[in-house]
Amino acid sequence: MNPRAGLPILRLGDILISGLLSDLDDTTALQFTGELTARISDEGIRGVILDISRLEIIDSFVARVLMELAATGRLLGARMIVAGMRPAVAITLSELGLRLTGVQTALNAEQAMELLGWRRPAEAAEEAPRAS
């Protein structure tokens, strides 16, 4: 958890998972961006999932923060995936003319994890070689 920004940033191996809230203010956005980018760099993170499923609507400020996070993460070498985008958010981004260039999207966090190579434990067990 990032106590300064109050937004959780969870680590699973070399992947970070976090999310954005619609009531994001300037101070929290700057602290969150700083924490996330520092962790990408310091911890050798290869993938970041930004779960935005809690965003029912998006304004230009939150959209800009999302775009900047994605661009910064990519520049640091992390694969950025935005997960859980609601149709209203997608429509608003399109209407604002904002593009998430270089960012993959996924329907949910589970699909984003699969894009980064994670599998459910049952699937991994089935694919594991069995001793004869």
Side-chain angles (χ1 to χ4, degrees):
M1 168 91 59
N2 175 1
R4 290 176 293 152
L7 298 173
I9 302 174
L10 307 173
R11 181 177 176 166
L12 292 171
D14 56 0
I15 296 172
L16 294 178
I17 303 173
S18 192
L20 292 181
L21 307 172
S22 55
D23 59 347
L24 195 63
D25 59 57
D26 289 352
T27 303
T28 303
L30 288 173
Q31 290 172 341
F32 178 68
T33 300
E35 176 73 14
L36 187 66
T37 54
R39 289 189 64 183
I40 291 169
S41 177
D42 296 345
E43 299 175 24
I45 298 300
R46 73 172 177 91
V48 176
I49 298 171
L50 292 172
D51 185 344
I52 62 169
S53 60
R54 294 178 64 187
L55 291 179
E56 293 186 25
I57 58 171
I58 193 168
D59 60 19
S60 59
F61 172 72
V62 174
R64 190 191 66 185
V65 169
L66 182 60
M67 290 178 9
E68 289 173 1
L69 277 170
T72 303
R74 274 193 345 272
L75 288 171
L76 293 172
R79 188 171 167 192
M80 305 297 288
I81 301 177
V82 173
M85 187 179 303
R86 294 176 185 238
V89 171
I91 290 167
T92 302
L93 287 174
S94 180
E95 287 174 348
L96 291 172
L98 302 174
R99 303 193 192 294
L100 298 178
T101 307
V103 177
Q104 283 186 285
T105 57
L107 291 176
N108 53 48
E110 184 177 2
Q111 185 184 68
M113 293 294 292
E114 290 173 3
L115 288 171
L116 291 171
W118 284 74
R119 296 184 308 268
R120 294 181 194 154
E123 292 173 357
E126 290 174 7
E127 293 178 11
R130 296 193 172 122
S132 301

